[in-house]
Amino acid sequence: MVRVRVGFVLLGVGSALVLAGCSGEADSAPTVAAQPSSSTTTAVPTTTTTVAPVVPTTTAPPTTTLPLTDVQFERNESYYFTTPDGNFQCGIIKLPTRIEAGCEGTTTPVPPRPESCMVNWGNGIRVTDEGEGAFMCSGGEVYTSGGPDADPVLAAGQPLSKLGFTCTTTATDVSCVNDQTTHGFTVAADSNEVF
């Protein structure tokens, strides 16, 4: 009968230790002691268990910001950007027969639509390899990379010079110039100029 009671006491002590280890309380270390029964003279030794706290570790993402480079604007041998105010999508693009720089967005005033233009008029302005800057007639978006994300912002005052053209922005307008002919344009929401 004494053996059975000691077995139950030890089983109880083991269960208490397991429960104490799972309690998650790291501040106070539980002490479990078996109380001898009045009919036995066998004492069970006192056992102390300390549970160390578990500290989760996390890795913070890097906080370094890389400088904006021309590579961030490049898509398929062309270069695309958004103006700082978000009003214009622009690009210096390489087409099969020519290279041009242009921007799309709403501007005013817009010259009258030429009779030869049967699609969108006045939503884009460009300068090509030859001649002055001009409004363009287009059947859709031309100066956007078409990627899943918006094209990067060309910071005010930062020039983008590629393929013989240079584009610069301010807080409210954008200018693109053919480096060789010096023809180009400046466009903003409420003004535009071709030269």
Side-chain angles (χ1 to χ4, degrees), residues 8 11 69 72 74 87-88 106 129 133 139 141-142 144 161 166 171:
F8 282 126
L11 180 63
T69 63
Q72 293 173 292
E74 195 271 329
N87 287 335
F88 294 93
T106 305
D129 290 336
E141 292 181 337
V142 177
T144 179
S161 295
T166 299

Side-chain angles (χ1 to χ4, degrees), residues 115 139 150 167 179:
E115 288 183 21
C167 295
D179 296 335

Side-chain angles (χ1 to χ4, degrees), residues 26-183:
D27 295 338
S28 61
T31 302
V32 178
Q35 300 293 326
S37 83
S38 59
S39 63
T40 84
T41 57
T42 307
V44 177
T46 303
T47 305
T48 304
T49 304
T50 304
V51 179
V54 177
V55 179
T57 58
T58 58
T59 304
T63 57
T64 14
T65 303
L66 299 175
L68 200 57
T69 63
D70 290 354
V71 174
Q72 293 173 292
F73 299 106
E74 195 271 329
R75 302 285 185 279
N76 301 321
E77 299 181 71
S78 296
Y79 300 82
Y80 300 95
F81 64 92
T82 304
T83 56
D85 61 7
N87 287 335
F88 294 93
Q89 294 292 315
C90 304
I92 301 172
I93 62 173
K94 184 177 182 181
L95 299 169
T97 59
R98 69 180 183 275
I99 297 173
E100 64 183 52
C103 293
E104 294 171 296
T106 305
T107 185
T108 188
V110 175
R113 176 194 302 257
E115 288 183 21
S116 62
C117 182
M118 301 299 179
V119 290
N120 296 330
W121 173 254
N123 66 333
I125 194 168
R126 69 177 170 204
V127 60
T128 64
D129 290 336
E130 299 174 357
E132 294 184 351
F135 277 85
M136 58 184 257
C137 180
S138 69
E141 292 181 337
V142 177
Y143 304 112
T144 179
S145 66
D149 299 323
D151 293 321
V153 172
L154 181 61
Q158 177 185 350
L160 178 63
S161 295
K162 292 293 177 184
L163 306 173
F165 292 84
T166 299
C167 295
T168 55
T169 62
T170 69
T172 57
D173 68 24
V174 56
S175 298
C176 292
V177 175
N178 179 317
D179 296 335
Q180 187 173 14
T181 67
T182 67
H183 290 302

